[in-house]
Amino acid sequence: MRKFISIALSAVMLISAGAISAMPVMAASVSSPGSSEVTTKPASETEPVIITVNSDKSSKVSYTKETAKYTFKYSGKGEVIRWEFPNMTEGVDYNVLSTSDNNDKIVIELTESGKQKQVVANAVVKDSTASKDDAEIDDDSKDDSNTSPATGAAMAGIAMAGTGVAMLAISKKKKD
């Protein structure tokens, strides 16, 4: 009987350790607060504009919006070679209204099809070391909605450990 209890207790402890590490994986996908799964509004009205420098988030690029007209401006080090709008096609989804002489500023206007898409603007900067210094990851924009809170995993571990303690108590009662 002692061997059975010992083996069962070891198995419970192994399952407990596995359950604690597997809990975040089993977390349900949850929408961010304030977002809606079903929407009839165009993407440009419900999702933010994403602006990057050499595909990295940066505080050195900004934009202004006036109805369907967007102005993007780069204020960091290095030379802007071009602007990219990865999920849109020029002449179909947007038209370039103007570009500054040194390419640090561009003004575009979305067409009807462009208004249905999320605006993603990327400044391609020539000096890669300067652009890496300018690129600052925005930690506030990180989405943690799909991660499990630590309390759920801890509670599961406590419950499993409690089961092991209960089995140990039962084995001691049987001895007496």
Side-chain angles (χ1 to χ4, degrees):
M1 183 69 174
R2 277 185 152 175
K3 280 188 175 182
F4 173 74
I5 296 295
S6 177
I7 292 171
L9 186 57
S10 296
V12 168
M13 292 302 172
L14 284 173
I15 292 170
S16 174
I20 289 172
S21 64
M23 271 310 203
V25 173
M26 297 184 324
S29 177
V30 178
S31 297
S32 300
S35 70
S36 173
E37 292 292 315
V38 179
T39 182
T40 56
K41 291 183 179 181
S44 61
E45 292 179 22
T46 59
E47 298 175 2
V49 173
I50 297 174
I51 47 178
T52 58
V53 174
N54 293 340
S55 300
D56 289 326
K57 290 193 177 190
S58 173
S59 62
K60 303 298 181 186
V61 65
S62 60
Y63 78 96
T64 57
K65 178 184 175 192
E66 191 177 304
T67 58
K69 186 169 88 173
Y70 289 81
T71 302
F72 297 95
K73 180 143 178 63
Y74 175 71
S75 60
K77 298 176 186 174
E79 179 186 342
V80 177
I81 298 170
R82 68 181 178 282
W83 288 87
E84 300 174 332
F85 302 94
N87 63 340
M88 295 193 289
T89 305
E90 185 175 355
V92 176
D93 299 314
Y94 71 95
N95 293 310
V96 176
L97 299 179
S98 66
T99 307
S100 64
D101 290 338
N102 61 356
N103 282 339
D104 67 344
K105 181 178 174 184
I106 188 170
V107 180
I108 66 166
E109 185 171 28
L110 301 181
T111 63
E112 287 305 313
S113 64
K115 291 176 186 176
Q116 303 302 316
K117 296 182 177 183
Q118 181 182 41
V119 178
V120 178
N122 181 46
V124 179
V125 178
K126 183 178 180 181
D127 185 357
S128 62
T129 58
S131 65
K132 290 294 180 190
D133 292 340
D134 292 341
E136 298 170 4
I137 303 293
D138 186 7
D139 291 333
D140 295 336
S141 67
K142 184 179 176 188
D143 183 11
D144 290 331
S145 63
N146 289 337
T147 58
S148 172
T151 55
M155 293 304 287
I158 290 169
M160 295 299 269
T163 303
V165 170
M167 288 183 69
L168 188 61
I170 290 171
S171 72
K172 285 197 178 234
K173 276 191 176 184
K174 288 192 176 184
K175 278 189 209 177
D176 299 336

